[in-house]
Amino acid sequence: MDTNSTARLLLKKKQDILVNWMQNQLLDDTLRDDLLSNEELNKQSEEFLDGLLKATSDGNFENIYTPEFEQTLDVLGDISITRARQGFSPRETNLYVLSLKQALTDVLEQEHQNDPRLLYQEVVLINKLLDSLSLATFETYLKGREEVILRQTDEINEISTPVIRVWDGILALPIIGTLDSSRTQIVMENLLQEIVNTGSSIAILDISGVPAVDSLVAQHLIKTVSATRLMGAECIISGIRAEIAQTIVHLGIDLSNIRTKATLASALQIAFEMLNLQVRKTGQAGNTKLLR
């Protein structure tokens, strides 16, 4: 079989292929026209098809990892990553390439309907090519989804570690969820930066929202306390529940040089005392007054 003649045939039938491909995509029940307009889809498809037919113009239908396919793979990669970020599913993204397989096959069937042997050889050739491109699409899609997940994880970590200025010179940082190495780094960076910005001398780490404390979590807390002290601020850990206290004792972790309290309110009271502040009730019911 002369693959060059196959390439010339496909290039000659480019417009027919594009029309059939667009019809295949538009008739698919899973088409996400809420995420991608028909005009954008047509533009993407035409750009990709042009690159593909140019890449195969010398008869190479088997190895897509050659310089000729570099531009085609770049276009396909951009489409895959964009769709991953837009919320397309892996199946929806993969169907973009697989629907082209049907369009190419239809053109070959019309051209070689009287030569079954040649038709079979060309269809096998096209299937191998599109299957390889489909795998490349899926790999790129996964990279795009990983980028989205990592970005969302960073955003969630930022949101879940807010540094609150509860009073002049007093910061509070409620920690919710598991405290691992990467999250500890975010906690420390946010806390230390806020200490610099506000000139605060006391920081309260509230671990009421931490489900469990093991030796690793305890070490992360100790590192955060040490970093805070190096910045000239004192650190108080609040939210020490009974089960957490038992776990710390059982693990033999020494927190004797760190101020700890059961509740955030108790920690805040200690912080006021360290700043020589007193909280007293006024004559009106429920009202309090802070005195120096």
Side-chain angles (χ1 to χ4, degrees), residues 110-221:
Q110 292 173 5
E111 190 69 20
H112 301 303
Q113 55 184 329
N114 296 324
D115 191 346
R117 184 174 177 274
L118 179 59
L119 175 60
Y120 172 78
Q121 291 176 338
E122 290 188 331
V123 168
V124 169
L125 196 66
I126 292 298
N127 283 343
K128 289 182 178 179
L129 173 63
L130 270 297
D131 287 344
S132 297
L133 292 172
S134 178
L135 287 174
T137 302
F138 189 68
E139 290 174 354
T140 309
Y141 174 88
L142 289 179
K143 291 179 182 178
R145 288 303 299 166
E146 287 174 0
E147 292 176 4
V148 172
I149 292 171
L150 288 175
R151 187 185 72 248
Q152 291 175 340
T153 300
D154 291 340
E155 292 173 353
I156 291 172
N157 285 336
E158 289 286 348
I159 294 173
S160 60
T161 53
V163 181
I164 305 169
R165 187 177 182 183
V166 293
W167 196 259
D168 289 340
I170 303 176
L171 299 175
L173 196 158
I175 303 174
I176 301 173
T178 304
L179 193 64
D180 54 19
S181 299
S182 59
R183 186 138 184 253
T184 300
Q185 186 65 30
I186 296 175
V187 168
M188 282 197 293
E189 289 176 358
N190 290 351
L191 182 58
L192 298 182
Q193 185 60 50
E194 199 62 24
I195 289 174
V196 173
N197 294 340
T198 62
S200 299
S201 58
I202 298 175
I204 302 173
L205 295 180
D206 185 73
I207 61 172
S208 301
V210 177
V213 173
D214 54 18
S215 57
L216 187 60
V217 172
Q219 291 301 320
H220 290 325
L221 290 173

